[in-house]
Amino acid sequence: MHTFKAFLLFACVLSSFQVGCSMSQKRESDGPVVVSTWKFGLKANEAAWQVLSSGGRALDAVETGVRVTEADPNNGSVGIGGTPDEDGNVTLDACIMDETGDCGSVAFLQNILHPVSVARKVMEETRHIMLVGKGAEEFAYEHGFDKTNLLTPRAEERWKRWLEKNGRGQLPAINIENHDTIGMIALDEKGNLSGACTTSGAGFKIPGRVGDSPIIGAGLYVDNEVGGACATGWGEAVIRICGSHLVVEYMRQGHAPRKACRLAVERLIARNPDYREIQIGFLALNKKGEFGAYCLRSGFQYAAYTTEHGNRVIDSKTKL
Ligand code: ASP
């Protein structure tokens, strides 16, 4: 009996040690938190923090935050200035999800500067979740959005050079120039979570292609009881495993955010034989304000803003 108790004690100590080891960036105090993908997330976090630090709602924070990236013409993978499809059209995907589990999404949207805000309108003003293409564009105009040319001279130049060199039907491998979505998850002072995700998708894609970013459960998922997650990288691989939902479900099982992201990357490897040719990053924030990320191969970074540490860029742990 004595030996059995000692064994139990040993097992407990061991398991708490393991939990401690796999812990993501831990919280040191209460207060809002916002995390977003890539280094360009820093600027988006700044805007989101303005909302969060004045007691605002996480939903407003994530919309305000990713709009900064959408409006930046120098960012070649989100919003205006985004890399076009192989016909030279910039087509945008975005979604948003709030603390009640309500969500909205737009895909294959053209000529609109802020797809995330159209997604929010879909969520708040219709009984639908997802609008695509011309329907989404018409809906945007009806709700006061202006027509905007999203193809900047720089992006057009990039497209022409690519077309000349490769011709149609030659999707380039995912690299820093032809992808990178902004996904953002925020926790507000009230302890509520929301998320947003927005992208121009894979560069030089086949016209009509939609990636993971506007698909609830793939590019983004938020469950206010547990946490939120978002994805960046080769969207097809993320869709196959419902990546962000999977990360949230791993957190529900008790895994810390970084470990949950790692488990999702491992699932992705198992389901995608081409995994050595692609890049994927998952980023997660839980209800306690702990966060973490994991990626398939090195190079993925994310930005995190907390009261304790301010706004900073963190290198994600990597599988390969
Ligand atoms: N996930 C996006 C897509 O596949 C692109 C990216 O994040 O790099 O459309």
Side-chain angles (χ1 to χ4, degrees):
M1 189 63 180
H2 226 70
T3 327
F4 182 63
K5 272 191 187 160
F7 170 74
L8 277 184
L9 188 68
F10 175 71
C12 268
V13 169
L14 189 70
S15 74
S16 60
F17 175 70
Q18 279 171 342
V19 168
C21 282
S22 65
M23 215 58 176
S24 302
Q25 303 279 327
K26 262 188 106 179
R27 281 202 105 180
E28 285 152 27
S29 68
D30 286 337
V33 180
V34 59
V35 293
S36 59
T37 53
W38 302 107
K39 197 174 173 186
F40 53 64
L42 279 176
K43 270 196 203 161
N45 282 2
E46 285 292 342
W49 193 257
Q50 297 292 315
V51 177
L52 294 169
S53 60
S54 52
R57 188 179 168 199
L59 182 73
D60 294 322
V62 294
E63 183 191 6
T64 306
V66 302
R67 278 172 63 101
V68 171
T69 322
E70 286 181 340
D72 180 355
N74 296 318
N75 183 314
S77 53
V78 179
I80 189 164
T83 305
D85 65 15
E86 59 178 17
D87 282 348
N89 294 314
V90 180
T91 70
L92 304 178
D93 297 338
C95 71
I96 192 159
M97 193 161 188
D98 75 8
E99 75 279 4
T100 71
D102 207 0
C103 46
S105 156
V106 289
F108 192 54
L109 177 64
Q110 298 181 54
N111 304 313
I112 301 292
L113 187 59
H114 288 300
V116 73
S117 298
V118 185
R120 183 167 178 175
K121 288 266 183 242
V122 175
M123 172 174 93
E124 291 178 340
E125 295 187 25
T126 78
R127 293 177 61 206
H128 304 311
I129 287 179
M130 191 166 195
L131 295 182
V132 307
K134 279 285 161 219
E137 193 176 336
E138 281 310 316
F139 173 85
Y141 298 141
E142 279 162 25
H143 287 80
F145 293 82
D146 294 326
K147 186 166 182 161
T148 308
N149 175 18
L150 303 176
L151 186 67
T152 57
R154 226 169 114 194
E156 189 172 7
E157 192 48 42
R158 220 166 37 237
W159 168 64
K160 282 186 176 153
R161 259 189 282 122
W162 171 82
L163 203 60
E164 218 176 271
K165 197 165 158 219
N166 304 284
R168 288 173 60 101
Q170 296 299 320
L171 196 70
I174 277 287
N175 63 37
I176 197 79
E177 283 139 37
N178 63 14
H179 78 118
D180 290 355
T181 295
I182 182 148
M184 175 180 274
I185 314 286
L187 178 71
D188 62 29
E189 263 179 10
K190 291 199 175 110
N192 286 322
L193 288 155
S194 290
C197 188
T198 176
T199 189
S200 53
F204 315 122
K205 59 199 171 187
I206 294 174
R209 181 264 190 188
V210 169
D212 59 318
S213 308
I215 298 178
I216 300 296
L220 176 76
Y221 198 72
V222 177
D223 183 324
N224 205 40
E225 283 178 7
V226 178
C230 55
T232 180
W234 188 240
E236 282 73 0
V238 177
I239 294 172
R240 263 183 212 120
I241 61 159
C242 292
S244 294
H245 183 257
L246 185 62
V247 173
V248 172
E249 289 308 300
Y250 279 133
M251 291 196 286
R252 193 191 308 280
Q253 290 169 17
H255 296 293
R258 188 169 79 205
K259 169 103 182 274
C261 292
R262 174 162 73 74
L263 293 171
V265 167
E266 285 167 2
R267 177 78 66 86
L268 187 137
I269 288 174
R271 297 288 180 277
N272 290 275
D274 65 343
Y275 73 88
R276 289 196 178 274
E277 288 150 40
I278 59 175
Q279 169 65 314
I280 289 295
F282 289 114
L283 172 63
L285 169 67
N286 71 15
K287 188 75 178 163
K288 291 186 268 180
E290 297 159 350
F291 53 85
Y294 214 84
C295 57
L296 188 53
R297 44 180 155 130
S298 63
F300 175 50
Q301 296 181 306
Y302 64 99
Y305 204 141
T306 62
T307 313
E308 304 83 45
H309 299 291
N311 201 9
R312 66 205 157 122
V313 174
I314 299 171
D315 288 325
S316 164
K317 293 277 175 211
T318 181
K319 184 72 190 168
L320 301 177

